[in-house]
Amino acid sequence: MSAKHLGFTILILIVLTVFFVPDLQGQNGKISREDYILKYRDVAINEMKLYGIPASITLAQGILESGHGNSELTRKANNHFGIKCHAGWKGDRYHMDDDAKDECFRVYEDASESFRDHSIFLKTRLRYQFLFDLELTDYKGWARGLKKAGYATNPRYPQLLIKIIEQHQLHQYDDPNIAISNQSIADNSKSKTKVNTADKQYVPENSKAYELVGTGGDGREIYQNNGVKFVFARKNDNFLKIATEFNLYVYQIYKNNELDKKDQLKVGQIVYLERKKRKAAVDFHTVQAGESMHMISQKYGIRLKQLYKKNRMEEGTEPVPGEQLFLRKKRPR
């Protein structure tokens, strides 16, 4: 090849490299702050409406704690706020070096669970209660208050949050009347089974059939079924109210009762405070008209997944009236 042709070939390669080689940052899956804000702003707004934490604070903390979604902990554990395991955490765990070697951090199934746990973490701990006396629009007060309450050890933590909020105008999301603009909340809260929300309600015909074992802080009676403690839902109850009353996280109420965020409580409905058992106290149940697998699992205090396994049924399918379900042993083939 002549020198003239060689020079022309090199020029063509340079042009192709400049204009057609993909962005390496995109290949590595990293996202910008702007992308992070667009992706999670509606989640933060939803949490603000439910728990009273400014959306700007939630977003700024998420950006700071997770490296706007690019940190190892966020990528490996969906943990956006660096929340450690602490006593009582029953979920999956991820270990990595932080303030100390091999520290334990919580693992979430998706980002929305991390945002929800962050809200519960602040809402249910006494040292943060004074923050909820502040206005939603007082992001500076919240930022300074978080440092005062001991959320972070960095002495510049408030300044860092305030800088992020003002740089990206996150305070625009602190209006309590702001609407949620896209489907991020709905997408993150889809039920993982094919059971309808209407089927996830069980109101017992006779509450006296259950053993009374104690009372809660406000006099609510605590019952026991199959060795598992539960309460009956009252008028105007919600998952947060029950979780707070019994010093639990909301995700624990969801998990114990195999419910999700879009389910609504019905007066008289059983709400388990502990995880249900792998098998029931009786051997069989004959399905009645209108009964779903979830209703039966609540009736006998048996985990829904185990009920499906014992009866060799596909999860999400429903039994027919008159069918006999196995509650302790596995159905013979």
Side-chain angles (χ1 to χ4, degrees), residues 5 56 106 131 140 152 165 191 200 211 237 257 292 333:
H5 285 109
S56 64
R106 300 181 181 189
L131 291 169
K140 292 182 180 179
I165 290 170
S191 171
K200 295 183 179 181
E211 180 186 2
D237 257 346
N257 296 275
S292 67
R333 290 188 181 279

Side-chain angles (χ1 to χ4, degrees), residues 6 66 68 76 114 125 152 167 196 290 332:
L6 179 60
S66 74
H68 40 274
K76 299 289 183 63
S114 178
R125 279 164 170 71
Q167 182 179 355
N196 294 326

Side-chain angles (χ1 to χ4, degrees), residues 31-48 55-56 58-60 62-63 66-70 74-75 78-81 110-115 170 173 180-182 184-185 188:
I31 62 174
S32 67
R33 279 189 182 182
E34 290 74 15
D35 290 336
Y36 186 91
I37 293 165
L38 287 173
K39 187 172 184 179
Y40 296 114
R41 64 185 179 186
D42 288 347
V43 182
I45 292 169
N46 188 62
E47 294 302 303
M48 176 179 69
S56 64
T58 299
L59 282 170
I63 288 169
S66 74
H68 40 274
N70 296 308
T74 304
R75 290 184 288 104
N78 275 320
N79 190 328
H80 286 241
F81 300 92
D110 58 47
S112 64
E113 286 189 4
S114 178
F115 276 75
L170 301 182
Y173 304 126
I180 295 174
S181 60
N182 61 38
S184 61
I185 300 299
N188 284 325

Side-chain angles (χ1 to χ4, degrees), residues 167-204:
Q167 182 179 355
H168 298 281
Q169 299 184 357
L170 301 182
H171 43 73
Q172 66 181 301
Y173 304 126
D174 292 339
D175 180 355
N177 298 314
I178 192 170
I180 295 174
S181 60
N182 61 38
Q183 297 300 314
S184 61
I185 300 299
D187 291 343
N188 284 325
S189 61
K190 286 179 181 177
S191 171
K192 293 180 175 61
T193 69
K194 291 174 279 186
V195 181
N196 294 326
T197 302
D199 295 325
K200 295 183 179 181
Q201 298 176 345
Y202 171 62
V203 178

Side-chain angles (χ1 to χ4, degrees), residues 57-296:
I57 287 292
T58 299
L59 282 170
Q61 285 193 282
I63 288 169
L64 189 59
E65 302 287 346
S66 74
H68 40 274
N70 296 308
S71 71
E72 175 188 344
L73 186 62
T74 304
R75 290 184 288 104
K76 299 289 183 63
N78 275 320
N79 190 328
H80 286 241
F81 300 92
I83 297 181
K84 297 177 183 178
C85 295
H86 300 294
W89 173 250
K90 303 297 184 183
D92 292 336
R93 298 158 181 252
Y94 184 78
H95 293 266
M96 60 177 283
D97 295 345
D98 191 53
D99 295 329
K101 186 176 178 61
D102 196 36
E103 289 201 87
C104 180
F105 292 88
R106 300 181 181 189
V107 174
Y108 305 100
E109 288 190 14
D110 58 47
S112 64
E113 286 189 4
S114 178
F115 276 75
R116 177 56 50 86
D117 203 25
H118 169 263
S119 299
I120 296 167
F121 186 84
L122 295 182
K123 188 72 174 179
T124 59
R125 279 164 170 71
L126 290 177
R127 59 184 169 137
Y128 299 115
Q129 290 309 298
F130 71 93
L131 291 169
F132 294 88
D133 294 329
L134 300 174
E135 296 291 336
L136 280 175
T137 53
D138 187 7
Y139 63 88
K140 292 182 180 179
W142 272 83
R144 297 183 185 114
L146 284 168
K147 176 62 177 68
K148 181 180 178 181
Y151 188 93
T153 56
N154 188 337
R156 296 190 63 252
Y157 193 74
Q159 290 84 352
L160 293 172
L161 291 182
I162 292 169
K163 182 179 180 180
I164 292 171
I165 290 170
E166 294 181 344
Q167 182 179 355
H168 298 281
Q169 299 184 357
L170 301 182
H171 43 73
Q172 66 181 301
Y173 304 126
D174 292 339
D175 180 355
N177 298 314
I178 192 170
I180 295 174
S181 60
N182 61 38
Q183 297 300 314
S184 61
I185 300 299
D187 291 343
N188 284 325
S189 61
K190 286 179 181 177
S191 171
K192 293 180 175 61
T193 69
K194 291 174 279 186
V195 181
N196 294 326
T197 302
D199 295 325
K200 295 183 179 181
Q201 298 176 345
Y202 171 62
V203 178
E205 295 178 4
N206 181 14
S207 61
K208 294 181 179 179
Y210 299 96
E211 180 186 2
L212 179 65
V213 295
T215 56
D218 69 344
R220 190 196 298 257
E221 294 177 328
I222 303 172
Y223 293 86
Q224 188 166 268
N225 180 31
N226 194 27
V228 186
K229 292 178 182 177
F230 73 91
V231 296
F232 292 111
R234 297 171 172 174
K235 185 178 180 180
N236 298 323
D237 257 346
N238 57 53
F239 296 112
L240 174 61
K241 183 177 180 181
I242 294 176
T244 303
E245 184 179 333
F246 293 97
N247 198 28
L248 297 170
Y249 290 108
V250 177
Y251 83 85
Q252 291 176 296
I253 300 294
Y254 291 143
K255 186 172 184 179
N256 293 344
N257 296 275
E258 290 144 328
L259 299 171
D260 56 41
K261 300 162 191 173
K262 66 184 178 182
D263 289 319
Q264 301 293 321
L265 288 177
K266 184 177 181 180
V267 175
Q269 182 177 345
I270 281 180
V271 182
Y272 285 102
L273 305 177
E274 304 171 318
R275 196 171 186 195
K276 292 181 286 186
K277 303 289 187 179
R278 299 175 67 89
K279 58 185 178 181
V282 298
D283 292 322
F284 307 104
H285 172 77
T286 302
V287 179
Q288 305 299 310
E291 285 187 326
S292 67
M293 290 291 277
H294 186 271
M295 291 169 63
I296 295 165

